[in-house]
Amino acid sequence: MKNIAVIGAGTMGNGIAHVFAQNNFKVNLIDISETALEKAIATITKNLDRLIAKEKISEAIKNNTLSNLNTFTSITEGVKHIDLVVEAATENEALKLKIFKQIDEEAPAEAILATNTSSISITKIAAATSRPKQVIGMHFMNPVPIMKLVEIIRGYNTSNEVTKTIMELSKKLHKDPVEVHDYPGFVANRILMPMLNEAIETLYNGVAGVKEIDTVMKLGMAHPMGPLQLADFIGLDVCLSILNVMYNGFKNPKYAPCPLLVNMVQAGKLGVKSGEGFYDYAESRKAEKISKQFI
C-alpha cells in the first residue's frame, strides 16, 4: 500500500495528507475547491517549517513531503490508481454517502475505502458501496501531525484482513491505533461530547462564566484546554452535528445538545473558524496563536 487519496482539504484532510506524505506515501489530495487546495498546501508547508524550526525534521524531509503531494479537483482523476482512500469531508451524513458511492464506482476494485468520520455509522457508509468488507473508519485526532491516536472503527461487514491492514498502516504513520466498535460517537466522542455539552449547559444555567468553567477544568482536572475553548477549536457546528448523531442513534436525552449550542450555531458563531464562539477570535492573529499551541 503506497498510493493514498485524501478527500477534503480542510483542517483534518490537510493534516491527514501531511502525515501520509511525510511518511513516504504518495498522496492525492482532492477537493472541489482549488482555493482550498492551495490553502491546504500552504498550511502543510507552514507546519513543516515549524517542525524544522523546532529541529524535529530536516529541510530534506520537508522537500520530500511536499514532493509526495499532488492536488486534484476531481474525485474521478484523484482515485484512479490508489490503494486507499481516506475521506475527510464535512461531518454530514448525506454528503459522505454521496462521496462513498462515487469513490466506490471510481476507485480500483481492490482499494480500501476509509472515512475519518467522528460519529457517523461505518456500517451505513459501507452500505452505500458494493464493497462493504473493504470499508473502515480511520478517525484521526486534531491536529493530525501531533496527536498519536487513531480510532479504527470496523463496520458490521468490515473484514479482519482490512482491519489488520489499517491497524498496521497506522503504526507506519507513527500513530497508536485503537480498534473500537461501530456505535454512535465511537469512544472518543461518546465520552468527550457529553462533557463539552455539560460545560455548555453549566454556562447556560448561569453556574459560572466561560473563563471560570475553563479554568476549573484546566487547573482542577489537568486538561490542556478548557471544554469551552476546546469546543471552539473543534467547531461548534461539528460538536452539534456529533451530538445530534448520538442523540438520534441512542434516543437517550443525555446526548441532547444544549439549547445555547443550537442557538450559537444558528447565529453563525462557530468558534475559531468563524472568528467568534465562546471566545472572541476576531483578530486572525489571535486565532492563529491559539492554533499554534497545538501544532
Side-chain angles (χ1 to χ4, degrees):
M1 186 170 290
K2 197 66 182 172
N3 300 306
I4 314 296
V6 177
I7 298 178
T11 301
M12 295 305 295
N14 77 60
I16 294 167
H18 174 164
V19 167
F20 272 107
Q22 190 173 321
N23 285 281
N24 292 315
F25 291 87
K26 297 296 183 182
V27 180
N28 292 347
L29 181 58
I30 306 165
D31 198 290
I32 58 172
S33 168
E34 187 68 50
T35 300
L37 289 168
E38 291 172 0
K39 184 178 178 182
I41 297 300
T43 298
I44 293 169
T45 302
K46 186 186 298 182
N47 288 339
L48 289 167
D49 286 336
R50 193 172 293 131
L51 291 172
I52 290 173
K54 293 181 178 179
E55 299 184 345
K56 291 186 176 181
I57 65 168
S58 65
E59 188 75 31
I61 290 176
K62 171 192 168 181
N63 293 335
N64 185 62
T65 298
L66 294 174
S67 72
N68 284 332
L69 289 164
N70 288 295
T71 59
F72 293 83
T73 54
S74 164
I75 287 179
T76 301
E77 293 300 316
V79 304
K80 268 186 178 178
H81 307 291
I82 53 82
D83 305 306
L84 168 69
V85 180
V86 182
E87 171 273 320
T90 304
E91 192 72 354
N92 177 289
E93 184 179 293
L95 176 62
K96 289 184 185 293
L97 294 177
K98 180 181 178 182
I99 289 172
F100 267 80
K101 188 175 186 301
Q102 183 176 359
I103 59 177
D104 179 48
E105 294 169 352
E106 306 286 359
E110 67 277 8
I112 295 173
L113 311 184
T115 173
N116 183 57
T117 181
S118 54
S119 62
I120 299 169
S121 168
I122 307 304
T123 302
K124 188 168 187 177
I125 291 173
T129 77
S130 62
R131 59 180 99 183
K133 291 182 179 180
Q134 293 160 243
V135 178
I136 195 165
M138 256 186 120
H139 180 208
F140 291 85
M141 304 294 124
N142 186 31
V144 181
I146 301 300
M147 300 294 279
K148 287 289 189 181
L149 175 66
V150 183
E151 276 189 307
I152 306 300
I153 310 104
R154 55 188 300 167
Y156 188 84
N157 291 304
T158 307
S159 72
N160 291 332
E161 181 182 359
V162 165
T163 303
K164 181 181 178 182
T165 297
I166 296 301
M167 291 286 284
E168 292 175 351
L169 175 67
S170 299
K171 292 174 184 176
K172 291 178 182 177
L173 300 176
H174 306 288
K175 301 297 184 185
D176 294 324
V178 176
E179 183 181 338
V180 305
H181 295 297
D182 185 21
Y183 291 97
F186 315 131
V187 171
N189 281 319
R190 185 168 178 174
I191 295 170
L192 174 64
M193 286 300 156
M195 185 193 75
L196 301 188
N197 197 45
E198 191 62 30
I200 299 169
E201 285 278 1
T202 303
L203 177 66
Y204 180 59
N205 293 327
V207 178
V210 171
K211 291 183 180 178
E212 289 76 13
I213 291 169
D214 279 354
T215 298
V216 167
M217 297 304 290
K218 286 191 287 186
L219 299 185
M221 311 303 165
H223 290 191
M225 296 177 76
L228 300 176
Q229 185 183 15
L230 178 56
D232 274 355
F233 187 73
I234 294 169
L236 301 191
D237 54 336
V238 175
C239 294
L240 178 59
S241 175
I242 295 170
L243 284 165
N244 279 331
V245 166
M246 293 196 295
Y247 180 59
N248 293 330
F250 291 115
K251 308 300 182 187
N252 189 324
K254 74 178 182 179
Y255 298 114
C258 175
L260 175 59
L261 175 61
V262 175
N263 282 344
M264 290 179 71
V265 172
Q266 290 177 340
K269 297 182 178 181
L270 309 180
V272 173
K273 62 185 170 185
S274 70
E276 184 179 0
F278 294 106
Y279 293 87
D280 183 3
Y281 308 94
E283 299 174 21
S284 59
R285 281 184 291 180
K286 186 188 295 184
E288 185 178 356
K289 182 179 179 182
I290 289 172
S291 298
K292 282 182 180 179
Q293 296 174 18
F294 306 96
I295 297 178

